[in-house]
């Protein structure tokens, strides 16, 4: 809050003075020393001092204010100041405040978060870490607190796959709890024992590398001796098709039960699995009683050079073919991905009953993604669109899909330029584009550093409004849907035209020469 008060104290007098000055153009450009821009409404919306250090702007769509001291600090504030985001040394540091949560971090030194417990007001949860990930803890209104200082002592809840995990002088002593399964470990992971505290529950113990076992009475039994070389056991014992396995690792392993067969030789180089009867699908890990029709086939010959997998059990439709590193083909219910000369050339198609997305990548130089949205009348109950039988494409014979107008696009010619477009027609072009990724992974990166390499930034919307800016604001322009226009070059001139046809040229940003229009 003190930083926000200082920002307002610094900017407010200057904004009032410049906003009231009618002698200056709407975009007064003395860059890199000073620059400001006034919106058609007369409101100050952008200010630069000692470019690129100080920058302030008001985003027109969301009415957010954005203040930057590049490259070390940035503050974004919503109109009612209930939500404020600070970024410093992006992407390492950040602070976010709102009525329902607060979090701060400076990786890898510390992380702190306060938030409402399951959305309940005034029921706060606190999580924190220091010297990540060595030291951390939490306090919660409705359950036990936790604390950890690795490797000395720790007690954690809902960590990894455990309901509770604790340790003392890790790995000397460790205890775990998961679904009433209690485990104790000495010199983890070499020795340990555990049991479920219920009738007929699982129990296990191990003294590695000599011997270990895990018994779930009536359901599964697993054994190992001279770990990791000998493994054997049974699972799905409660079903009509129990599965048995034995392995002399890494030379030979076999699994068989009902219609399911699996074997491997010199694991993981050569592997094969096959299931051809749906009634034995639980051998693949499906729930007991599953009557999935179809087939499962898996081959590695040898891994990772060649892999083929086909799974048509039940509603699943998946197929994978790998000829590494030259060709990869993956088909699933909601996607089709082809890769050539991994990791360079990618073609991906993701689809569901809402939208389709097509990706093309030639890494690292070319990235292209297009998204189109399906109309609701053509959506089916599952993933595929529902189309009447008589509505077929005359050339391909395939069912036609009706789309909403427009498509979203994101294209990168790295490191030359980036182009983005929304479904509603808003677009943005920038060059150079050094950071290849976008979205949350790049939060604050562009705002903090891109002044160092950006040569141009051009953007517009579906209404015909455009804005152009070059490095150091050496040339800026705005076109208001062809009705108003303004452009400037620092110190030399500023040009403005209005909807009535009037034009004003200001030499050296101060000396006005006007013509045309109704005056």
């Amino acid at each position: 809050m003190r930083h926000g008060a200082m920002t307002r104290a610094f900017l407010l007098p200057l904004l009032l003075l410049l906003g009231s000055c009618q002698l200056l153009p709407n975009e007064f450009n003395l860059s890199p020393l000073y620059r400001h821009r006034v919106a058609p409404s007369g409101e100050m919306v952008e200010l630069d001092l000692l470019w690129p250090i100080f920058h302030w702007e008001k985003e027109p769509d969301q009415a957010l204010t954005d203040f930057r001291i590049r490259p070390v600090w940035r503050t974004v504030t919503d109109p009612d100041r209930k939500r404020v985001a600070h970024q410093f040394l992006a992407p390492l540091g950040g602070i976010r405040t709102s009525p329902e949560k607060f979090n701060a971090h400076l990786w890898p030194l510390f992380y702190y978060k306060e938030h409402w417990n399951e959305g309940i007001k005034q029921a706060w949860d606190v999580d924190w870490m220091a010297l990540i990930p060595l030291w951390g803890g939490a306090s919660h209104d409705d359950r036990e607190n936790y604390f950890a200082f690795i490797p000395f002592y720790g007690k954690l809840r809902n960590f990894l796959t455990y309901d509770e995990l604790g340790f003392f002088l890790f790995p000397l002593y460790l205890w775990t709890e998961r679904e009433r399964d209690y485990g104790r470990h000495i010199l983890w992971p070499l020795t340990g024992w555990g049991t479920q505290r219920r009738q007929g529950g699982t129990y296990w113990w191990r003294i590695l590398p000599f011997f270990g076992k895990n018994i779930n009475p009536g359901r599964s039994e697993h054994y190992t001796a001279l770990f990791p070389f000998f493994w054997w056991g049974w699972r799905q014992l409660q079903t009509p098709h129990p599965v048995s396995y034995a392995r002399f690792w890494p030379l030979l392993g076999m699994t068989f039960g009902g219609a399911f067969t699996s074997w491997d030789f010199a694991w993981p180089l050569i592997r094969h699995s096959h299931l051809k009867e749906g009634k034995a699908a639980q051998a693949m890990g499906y729930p007991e009683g599953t009557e999935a029709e179809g087939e499962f086939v898996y081959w590695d010959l040898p891994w990772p050079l060649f892999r083929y997998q086909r799974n048509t059990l039940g509603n699943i439709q998946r197929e994978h073919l790998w000829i590494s590193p030259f060709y990869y083909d993956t088909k699933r219910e909601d996607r089709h991905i082809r890769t050539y000369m991994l990791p360079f050339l990618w073609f991906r198609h993701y689809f569901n009953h809402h939208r389709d997305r097509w990706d093309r990548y030639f890494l690292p130089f070319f990235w292209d993604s297009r998204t189109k949205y399906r109309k609701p009348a053509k959506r089916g109950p599952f993933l595929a669109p529902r189309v009447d039988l008589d509505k077929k494409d005359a050339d391909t014979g395939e069912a036609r899909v009706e789309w909403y107008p427009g498509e979203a696009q994101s294209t990168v010619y790295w490191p030359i330029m980036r182009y983005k477009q929304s479904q509603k027609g808003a677009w943005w072009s920038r060059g150079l584009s050094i950071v290849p990724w976008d979205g949350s992974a790049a939060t604050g990166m562009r705002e903090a550093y891109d002044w160092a390499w950006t040569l141009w930034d051009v953007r517009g919307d579906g209404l015909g409004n455009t804005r152009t800016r070059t490095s150091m604001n050496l040339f800026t322009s705005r076109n208001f849907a062809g009705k108003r226009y303004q452009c400037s070059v620092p110190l030399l001139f500023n040009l403005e035209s209005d909807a009535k046809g009037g034009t004003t040229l200001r030499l050296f940003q101060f000396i006005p020469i006007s013509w045309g229009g109704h005056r």
Side-chain angles (χ1 to χ4, degrees), residues 20-265:
S20 63
C21 185
Q22 301 300 319
L23 298 178
L24 300 181
N26 288 333
E27 183 159 359
F28 182 58
N29 192 348
L30 299 179
S31 185
L33 300 179
Y34 174 86
R35 170 183 168 270
H36 79 247
R37 181 171 63 84
V38 178
S41 63
E43 180 185 16
M44 179 76 71
V45 293
E46 198 168 354
L47 175 67
D48 283 289
L49 289 174
L50 301 177
W51 184 94
I53 298 176
F54 299 100
H55 175 83
W56 176 91
E57 68 178 47
K58 186 175 183 179
E59 299 182 6
D61 296 334
Q62 302 176 349
L64 301 175
T65 57
D66 188 336
F67 175 68
R68 309 170 193 171
I69 304 177
R70 293 181 288 208
V72 295
W73 189 275
R74 181 190 183 210
T75 298
V76 180
T77 309
D78 69 358
D80 58 8
R81 302 194 59 81
K82 291 184 177 180
R83 301 179 185 274
V84 181
H86 305 280
Q87 298 164 5
F88 47 94
L89 300 177
L92 300 180
I95 301 173
R96 290 180 178 270
T97 63
S98 68
E100 66 274 6
K101 65 181 177 181
F102 170 87
N103 64 62
H105 67 269
L106 180 58
W107 305 109
L109 298 181
F110 76 89
Y111 170 84
Y112 180 86
K113 180 180 180 181
E114 293 181 0
H115 59 96
W116 289 350
N117 182 3
E118 299 180 353
I120 302 175
K121 292 184 179 181
Q122 308 307 321
W124 292 93
D125 289 351
V126 176
D127 299 273
W128 62 273
M129 296 185 72
L131 300 176
I132 301 170
L134 299 180
W135 189 14
S139 61
H140 303 277
D141 283 2
D142 63 341
R143 58 187 185 271
E144 185 177 358
N145 302 334
Y146 67 81
F147 171 82
F149 189 16
I150 300 174
F152 303 105
Y153 173 81
K155 186 177 181 181
L156 306 173
R157 293 184 59 85
N158 299 316
F159 184 73
L160 298 177
T161 62
Y162 297 100
D163 300 329
E164 182 176 298
L165 182 148
F167 61 87
F168 175 73
L169 297 179
F170 180 84
L172 179 62
Y173 181 66
L174 178 77
W175 68 92
T176 60
E177 177 183 346
R178 177 171 52 200
E179 297 179 354
R180 301 185 66 186
D181 185 348
Y182 296 84
R184 299 292 183 268
H185 308 259
I186 298 177
L187 292 176
W188 179 89
L190 298 180
T191 62
W193 66 96
T195 182
Q196 280 187 327
R197 297 179 181 178
R198 60 179 177 83
Q199 185 68 28
T202 301
Y203 59 94
W204 61 272
W205 63 269
R206 62 173 177 257
I207 303 177
L208 300 182
F210 305 108
F211 187 79
K213 70 176 182 178
N214 187 315
I215 308 296
N216 188 347
R219 304 182 70 88
S220 64
E221 298 182 13
H222 306 279
Y223 300 89
T224 181
L226 296 179
F227 177 85
F229 300 108
F230 296 97
W231 304 67
W232 70 96
W234 300 264
R235 63 175 187 264
Q236 306 294 342
L237 295 176
Q238 77 282 11
T239 71
H241 305 277
V243 177
S244 304
Y245 71 92
R247 174 165 287 111
F248 175 33
W249 185 86
L251 297 181
L252 181 65
M254 294 196 65
T255 302
F256 47 90
F260 178 72
T261 302
S262 176
W263 56 266
D264 59 76
F265 178 74

Side-chain angles (χ1 to χ4, degrees), residues 339-351:
T339 308
Y340 303 88
M341 299 301 299
L342 186 77
F344 299 108
L345 189 58
W346 295 71
F347 297 90
R348 307 192 302 182
H349 180 198
Y350 295 89
F351 46 89

Side-chain angles (χ1 to χ4, degrees), residues 277-351:
E277 291 183 8
K279 64 178 62 178
Q282 55 265 34
M284 290 287 298
Y286 288 87
E288 181 180 353
T290 300
E291 294 289 339
E293 298 296 334
E295 185 179 33
F296 176 85
V297 178
Y298 181 101
W299 281 100
D300 279 338
L301 287 172
W303 179 87
L305 300 181
F306 176 87
R307 171 174 291 181
Y308 175 75
Q309 176 179 324
R310 184 178 73 253
N311 187 351
T312 60
L313 294 172
N315 293 326
I316 296 176
Q317 297 292 325
R318 301 180 183 179
E319 188 171 7
H320 307 272
L321 174 62
W322 298 356
I323 304 176
S324 181
F326 307 105
Y327 178 73
Y328 298 79
D329 188 280
T330 298
K331 298 177 182 178
R332 297 182 58 175
E333 304 89 336
D334 60 349
R335 69 195 66 180
H336 184 192
I337 302 174
R338 287 173 293 141
T339 308
Y340 303 88
M341 299 301 299
L342 186 77
F344 299 108
L345 189 58
W346 295 71
F347 297 90
R348 307 192 302 182
H349 180 198
Y350 295 89
F351 46 89

